[in-house]
Amino acid sequence: MNKIIMVGGGKGGVGKSTVVFSVVDFLLSKGEQVVLVETDDSNPDTYKSLNKLVTSELCNLDAEEGFIKLGGIIESNKDACIVVNTAARATSSIIEHGGIVSDVVSELGREIVMLWPMNRQRDSIELLKSFLDGSSGYSATYALLNTYFGASEKFSRFQTSKQKDRVSGTLIFPELNDLVSDKLIDNRLALSNAEPVLSIAERSALRRYREAANSVLGVLYG
């Protein structure tokens, strides 16, 4: 799959790390070569958990230099799916400097997709609007309604907003159980190698989550 997958959201606590874990897990299950780019260098949870499983890079996107570095990573890994975990503070930088990455992707004949995890709060919609208003070059942008914050019907603010009609699609993303999630982070593990530290019931919950997440993420092959 010839795509760069950005995981945005524009704020902390919306589930970006969990989505990144799931995207990497999904791509590996499809036999893809994966490169992770962690842009939150102050708290690089995904990097610490995934760097022994896939090629992983740290890349601060606070300034233009970071986007030049990210463009270089994309250019140097032409055969890999690039998964980029954006820092909570990164939305304004993505809008200001993201054209550099879009130009690299365009010249290489690749596609860039934004996954935008959301909670039920108004600022999730406002940040999505800012991204949609200011960004360009993305082949698709998907809103991910993180059901950790409640069933999809509880996302009424988004469901009735103008932004729903502006995105490429709305994905209902499954909830990863807190007990499982905590063990992943505490032990610096990925979804695919967490089972040895989990109880039987936790392993069952993880398998069900992975199946549900993989089903949702199948849209990336569309």
Side-chain angles (χ1 to χ4, degrees), residues 27-92:
L27 293 173
L28 291 176
S29 75
K30 296 294 184 180
E32 302 285 358
Q33 180 184 349
V34 178
V35 173
L36 168 74
V37 181
E38 170 62 80
T39 74
D40 188 356
D41 55 0
S42 64
N43 186 31
D45 280 336
T46 61
Y47 177 89
K48 292 177 180 177
S49 296
L50 295 170
N51 74 92
K52 293 181 180 178
L53 185 66
V54 299
T55 299
S56 301
E57 303 275 0
L58 289 172
C59 182
N60 188 309
L61 296 184
D62 288 347
E64 186 179 50
E65 288 78 7
F67 289 84
I68 294 173
K69 179 179 179 180
L70 176 56
I73 293 169
I74 294 169
E75 187 173 1
S76 298
N77 293 277
K78 295 178 182 178
D79 296 325
C81 295
I82 314 293
V83 181
V84 184
N85 184 33
T86 66
R89 61 186 184 272
T91 300
S92 60

XYZ file of all heavy atoms in Angstrom, residues 27-92:
491
model
N -1.472 -2.998 9.394
C -0.575 -3.040 8.235
C 0.350 -4.249 8.283
O 0.593 -4.898 7.267
C 0.233 -1.749 8.158
C -0.573 -0.483 7.855
C 0.315 0.754 7.975
C -1.220 -0.548 6.479
N 0.864 -4.566 9.466
C 1.725 -5.745 9.591
C 0.948 -7.016 9.287
O 1.491 -7.955 8.683
C 2.332 -5.812 10.994
C 3.374 -4.738 11.333
C 3.821 -4.876 12.788
C 4.578 -4.821 10.398
N -0.327 -7.059 9.679
C -1.147 -8.240 9.402
C -1.371 -8.430 7.906
O -1.671 -9.537 7.447
C -2.502 -8.138 10.114
O -3.371 -7.221 9.467
N -1.205 -7.334 7.141
C -1.341 -7.387 5.682
C -0.002 -7.622 4.992
O 0.074 -7.610 3.758
C -1.957 -6.085 5.172
C -3.374 -5.824 5.656
C -4.349 -6.849 5.099
C -5.768 -6.529 5.489
N -6.726 -7.533 4.956
N 1.056 -7.813 5.784
C 2.367 -8.071 5.213
C 3.089 -6.827 4.723
O 4.056 -6.924 3.967
N 2.637 -5.646 5.157
C 3.261 -4.409 4.725
C 4.545 -4.129 5.514
O 4.664 -4.501 6.685
C 2.300 -3.223 4.913
C 0.982 -3.340 4.193
C 1.082 -3.101 2.705
O 2.191 -2.809 2.215
O 0.033 -3.212 2.028
N 5.481 -3.469 4.861
C 6.639 -2.907 5.562
C 6.197 -1.585 6.177
O 5.564 -0.764 5.499
C 7.790 -2.676 4.586
C 9.041 -2.080 5.219
C 10.109 -1.783 4.176
O 10.017 -2.198 3.029
N 11.113 -1.038 4.589
N 6.504 -1.379 7.448
C 5.992 -0.210 8.170
C 7.138 0.583 8.785
O 8.075 0.001 9.350
C 5.006 -0.636 9.285
C 4.511 0.583 10.061
C 3.829 -1.414 8.697
N 7.042 1.901 8.672
C 7.932 2.809 9.387
C 7.065 3.710 10.258
O 6.128 4.350 9.764
C 8.778 3.669 8.427
C 9.568 4.732 9.199
C 9.733 2.800 7.613
N 7.351 3.737 11.539
C 6.650 4.621 12.471
C 7.434 5.918 12.627
O 8.656 5.896 12.810
C 6.507 3.955 13.844
C 6.049 4.891 14.976
C 4.570 5.216 14.832
C 6.353 4.299 16.342
N 6.720 7.042 12.580
C 7.323 8.336 12.893
C 6.569 8.923 14.080
O 5.380 9.234 13.979
C 7.263 9.303 11.698
C 7.916 10.640 12.067
C 7.951 8.698 10.476
N 7.252 9.038 15.206
C 6.673 9.610 16.426
C 7.100 11.073 16.509
O 8.291 11.384 16.518
C 7.165 8.838 17.650
C 6.830 9.468 18.989
C 5.340 9.584 19.237
O 4.724 8.575 19.633
O 4.815 10.696 19.028
N 6.129 11.987 16.551
C 6.460 13.412 16.557
C 6.342 14.040 17.940
O 6.699 15.205 18.110
C 5.574 14.188 15.564
O 4.250 14.309 16.080
C 5.558 13.504 14.208
N 5.826 13.291 18.905
C 5.766 13.796 20.283
C 7.017 13.337 21.012
O 7.017 12.334 21.726
C 4.506 13.297 20.986
C 4.308 13.943 22.349
O 5.196 14.719 22.776
O 3.271 13.682 22.982
N 8.115 14.099 20.833
C 9.378 13.652 21.412
C 9.464 13.889 22.910
O 10.390 13.431 23.566
C 10.569 14.307 20.692
C 10.499 15.827 20.680
O 9.531 16.394 21.237
O 11.415 16.455 20.111
N 8.483 14.591 23.502
C 8.473 14.788 24.952
C 7.853 13.596 25.676
O 8.126 13.363 26.852
C 7.707 16.068 25.308
O 6.337 15.954 24.935
N 7.004 12.833 24.981
C 6.350 11.669 25.589
C 6.107 10.622 24.497
O 4.973 10.340 24.121
C 5.024 12.084 26.232
C 4.370 10.945 26.994
O 5.051 10.076 27.543
N 3.052 10.933 27.029
N 7.190 10.007 23.991
C 7.094 9.141 22.805
C 6.635 7.721 23.109
O 7.368 6.748 22.896
C 8.521 9.175 22.256
C 9.378 9.320 23.477
C 8.586 10.178 24.433
N 5.409 7.573 23.585
C 4.908 6.256 23.990
C 4.908 5.263 22.836
O 5.297 4.105 23.003
C 3.494 6.376 24.563
C 3.492 6.842 26.011
O 4.510 6.647 26.696
O 2.472 7.389 26.452
N 4.437 5.686 21.666
C 4.363 4.733 20.556
C 5.764 4.322 20.111
O 5.995 3.161 19.772
C 3.572 5.301 19.368
O 4.217 6.473 18.865
C 2.150 5.638 19.777
N 6.691 5.251 20.123
C 8.076 4.930 19.755
C 8.650 3.883 20.707
O 9.262 2.904 20.276
C 8.930 6.200 19.787
C 10.386 5.968 19.482
C 10.866 6.017 18.175
C 11.299 5.696 20.505
C 12.201 5.793 17.891
C 12.636 5.474 20.229
C 13.083 5.522 18.917
O 14.412 5.291 18.649
N 8.443 4.079 22.004
C 8.995 3.162 22.993
C 8.383 1.770 22.882
O 9.046 0.763 23.155
C 8.773 3.717 24.401
C 9.586 4.970 24.703
C 9.258 5.520 26.085
C 10.061 6.772 26.391
N 9.702 7.359 27.704
N 7.135 1.692 22.471
C 6.457 0.404 22.381
C 6.701 -0.316 21.063
O 6.650 -1.547 21.006
C 4.947 0.584 22.568
O 4.650 1.065 23.858
N 6.972 0.442 19.999
C 7.017 -0.153 18.664
C 8.401 -0.200 18.036
O 8.578 -0.848 16.999
C 6.074 0.616 17.724
C 4.587 0.535 18.056
C 3.788 1.519 17.202
C 4.062 -0.872 17.869
N 9.396 0.438 18.644
C 10.689 0.555 17.954
C 11.416 -0.782 17.792
O 12.288 -0.901 16.927
C 11.585 1.588 18.641
C 12.166 1.116 19.948
O 13.259 0.563 20.006
N 11.434 1.324 21.037
N 11.075 -1.781 18.604
C 11.694 -3.098 18.432
C 10.934 -3.963 17.426
O 11.421 -5.015 17.011
C 11.774 -3.820 19.781
C 12.729 -3.155 20.773
C 12.787 -3.908 22.085
C 13.740 -3.245 23.077
N 13.773 -3.957 24.377
N 9.765 -3.494 17.025
C 8.918 -4.252 16.108
C 9.026 -3.732 14.680
O 9.051 -4.512 13.727
C 7.464 -4.177 16.580
C 6.433 -5.002 15.817
C 6.700 -6.488 15.988
C 5.020 -4.660 16.310
N 9.076 -2.401 14.537
C 9.178 -1.784 13.207
C 10.231 -0.679 13.252
O 10.570 -0.167 14.333
C 7.822 -1.186 12.748
C 6.762 -2.264 12.644
C 7.367 -0.062 13.678
N 10.722 -0.288 12.100
C 11.630 0.852 12.018
C 10.912 2.076 12.565
O 9.782 2.377 12.168
C 12.045 1.100 10.558
O 12.724 -0.048 10.068
C 12.958 2.316 10.453
N 11.543 2.783 13.492
C 10.882 3.899 14.165
C 11.796 5.113 14.201
O 13.005 4.989 14.404
C 10.495 3.512 15.597
O 9.625 2.389 15.603
N 11.192 6.292 14.002
C 11.920 7.551 13.975
C 11.245 8.551 14.910
O 10.019 8.544 15.060
C 11.940 8.139 12.557
C 12.523 7.229 11.495
C 14.035 7.333 11.402
O 14.629 8.129 12.169
O 14.614 6.636 10.557
N 12.061 9.421 15.519
C 11.545 10.564 16.260
C 11.708 11.802 15.395
O 12.772 12.020 14.808
C 12.290 10.743 17.577
C 12.028 9.702 18.668
C 12.984 9.904 19.837
C 10.586 9.783 19.148
N 10.655 12.617 15.313
C 10.689 13.771 14.413
C 9.784 14.860 14.964
O 8.564 14.783 14.860
C 10.252 13.344 13.013
S 10.293 14.641 11.790
N 10.352 15.875 15.566
C 9.597 16.986 16.139
C 9.045 17.868 15.019
O 9.801 18.366 14.186
C 10.519 17.795 17.061
C 9.767 18.851 17.838
O 9.023 19.639 17.273
N 9.977 18.885 19.147
N 7.731 18.088 15.022
C 7.094 18.885 13.973
C 6.717 20.280 14.431
O 5.841 20.926 13.861
C 5.837 18.168 13.447
C 6.046 16.836 12.738
C 4.721 16.322 12.195
C 7.073 16.954 11.620
N 7.414 20.787 15.452
C 7.107 22.127 15.938
C 7.533 23.214 14.962
O 7.019 24.332 15.009
C 7.782 22.378 17.292
C 7.117 21.597 18.419
O 6.012 21.068 18.197
O 7.709 21.512 19.508
N 8.495 22.919 14.098
C 9.024 23.921 13.180
C 9.207 23.309 11.799
O 9.098 22.091 11.604
C 10.355 24.471 13.704
N 9.522 24.165 10.830
C 9.654 23.739 9.442
C 10.694 22.638 9.271
O 10.519 21.731 8.452
C 10.035 24.945 8.581
C 10.075 24.665 7.096
C 10.426 25.908 6.300
O 11.428 26.566 6.660
O 9.704 26.217 5.345
N 11.773 22.704 10.062
C 12.837 21.704 9.950
C 12.301 20.292 10.158
O 12.778 19.338 9.521
C 13.947 21.986 10.961
C 14.807 23.188 10.649
C 14.164 24.515 10.991
O 13.066 24.512 11.605
O 14.729 25.569 10.641
N 11.325 20.148 11.038
C 10.752 18.829 11.290
C 10.035 18.275 10.078
O 10.086 17.066 9.808
N 9.370 19.129 9.331
C 8.660 18.679 8.139
C 9.639 18.333 7.023
O 9.379 17.427 6.221
C 7.661 19.750 7.699
C 6.497 19.866 8.631
C 6.576 20.643 9.774
C 5.330 19.154 8.399
C 5.513 20.738 10.661
C 4.256 19.231 9.279
C 4.349 20.032 10.418
N 10.757 19.042 6.985
C 11.802 18.680 6.024
C 12.360 17.298 6.376
O 12.571 16.450 5.498
C 12.917 19.741 6.008
C 12.363 21.064 5.470
C 14.103 19.271 5.166
C 13.332 22.223 5.574
N 12.586 17.052 7.676
C 13.070 15.740 8.106
C 12.048 14.662 7.789
O 12.405 13.581 7.278
C 13.371 15.746 9.610
C 13.854 14.399 10.134
C 14.170 14.445 11.630
C 14.622 13.080 12.121
N 14.938 13.092 13.583
N 10.773 14.940 8.039
C 9.727 13.955 7.738
C 9.686 13.669 6.244
O 9.558 12.506 5.829
C 8.371 14.469 8.223
C 7.150 13.602 7.904
C 7.323 12.184 8.446
C 5.882 14.239 8.468
N 9.818 14.703 5.432
C 9.868 14.484 3.988
C 11.022 13.591 3.590
O 10.886 12.722 2.720
N 12.173 13.767 4.250
C 13.336 12.918 3.980
C 13.096 11.475 4.370
O 13.534 10.550 3.674
N 12.402 11.267 5.499
C 12.080 9.897 5.928
C 11.175 9.226 4.897
O 11.372 8.058 4.530
C 11.402 9.916 7.317
C 12.396 10.384 8.389
C 10.838 8.541 7.666
C 11.758 10.679 9.732
N 10.189 9.965 4.402
C 9.282 9.415 3.391
C 10.042 9.075 2.117
O 9.866 8.001 1.524
C 8.136 10.409 3.109
C 7.253 10.563 4.349
C 7.311 9.958 1.909
C 6.250 11.701 4.266
N 10.929 9.978 1.692
C 11.696 9.766 0.462
C 12.647 8.578 0.591
O 12.889 7.854 -0.377
C 12.479 11.022 0.106
C 13.185 10.961 -1.241
C 13.820 12.284 -1.637
O 13.737 13.253 -0.850
O 14.401 12.340 -2.729
N 13.168 8.358 1.797
C 14.137 7.283 2.016
C 13.479 5.924 2.221
O 14.165 4.908 2.269
C 15.004 7.602 3.249
O 15.739 8.787 3.054
N 12.171 5.909 2.372
C 11.447 4.656 2.632
C 10.308 4.511 1.630
O 9.131 4.417 1.990
C 10.916 4.638 4.065
C 12.013 4.575 5.101
O 12.518 3.502 5.416
N 12.391 5.734 5.628
N 10.682 4.471 0.356
C 9.691 4.501 -0.720
C 8.829 3.244 -0.775
O 7.742 3.260 -1.358
C 10.401 4.711 -2.058
C 11.093 6.063 -2.162
C 11.834 6.221 -3.474
C 12.552 7.559 -3.548
N 13.337 7.733 -4.803
N 9.302 2.150 -0.194
C 8.554 0.896 -0.260
C 7.772 0.598 1.023
O 7.164 -0.467 1.140
C 9.506 -0.266 -0.548
C 10.182 -0.149 -1.906
O 9.523 0.336 -2.842
O 11.361 -0.524 -2.022
N 7.808 1.537 1.957
C 7.172 1.293 3.256
C 5.934 2.158 3.435
O 5.831 3.259 2.896
C 8.154 1.573 4.387
N 4.984 1.637 4.204
C 3.887 2.468 4.691
C 4.419 3.300 5.854
O 5.005 2.743 6.794
C 2.737 1.600 5.175
S 1.953 0.620 3.886
N 4.233 4.589 5.798
C 4.705 5.480 6.848
C 3.523 5.835 7.744
O 2.503 6.343 7.265
C 5.317 6.776 6.277
C 6.280 6.472 5.122
C 5.985 7.579 7.377
C 7.520 5.747 5.495
N 3.636 5.571 9.046
C 2.594 5.905 10.011
C 3.132 7.001 10.919
O 4.149 6.811 11.592
C 2.175 4.678 10.843
C 1.069 5.054 11.826
C 1.716 3.534 9.934
N 2.463 8.155 10.917
C 2.942 9.323 11.646
C 2.001 9.629 12.804
O 0.816 9.919 12.604
C 3.037 10.555 10.726
C 3.624 11.747 11.489
C 3.878 10.248 9.486
N 2.526 9.559 14.022
C 1.765 9.923 15.215
C 2.056 11.387 15.529
O 3.172 11.736 15.891
C 2.156 9.040 16.399
C 1.313 9.333 17.626
O 0.141 9.671 17.528
N 1.910 9.205 18.810
N 1.061 12.253 15.375
C 1.297 13.682 15.583
C 1.106 14.065 17.043
O 0.227 13.535 17.727
C 0.361 14.532 14.712
O -0.995 14.346 15.136
C 0.490 14.154 13.246
N 1.918 14.986 17.492
C 1.787 15.496 18.853
C 0.504 16.304 18.991
O -0.015 16.851 18.010
C 2.995 16.367 19.192
N -0.015 16.400 20.211
C -1.268 17.121 20.446
C -1.179 18.575 19.991
O -2.167 19.163 19.554
C -1.624 17.046 21.928
N 0.003 19.145 20.073
C 0.182 20.565 19.760
C 0.419 20.827 18.276
O 0.669 21.967 17.886
C 1.391 21.092 20.541
C 2.695 20.381 20.187
C 3.852 20.801 21.075
N 5.105 20.173 20.662
C 5.530 18.994 21.078
N 4.789 18.315 21.937
N 6.690 18.496 20.655
N 0.337 19.800 17.428
C 0.893 19.893 16.081
C -0.036 20.477 15.022
O 0.412 20.743 13.911
C 1.364 18.513 15.619
N -1.317 20.699 15.318
C -2.249 21.080 14.267
C -1.822 22.345 13.527
O -1.813 22.398 12.293
C -3.669 21.264 14.826
O -4.109 20.036 15.403
C -4.642 21.646 13.717
N -1.456 23.379 14.266
C -1.084 24.637 13.606
C 0.153 24.459 12.736
O 0.249 25.035 11.646
C -0.855 25.743 14.646
O 0.185 25.387 15.546
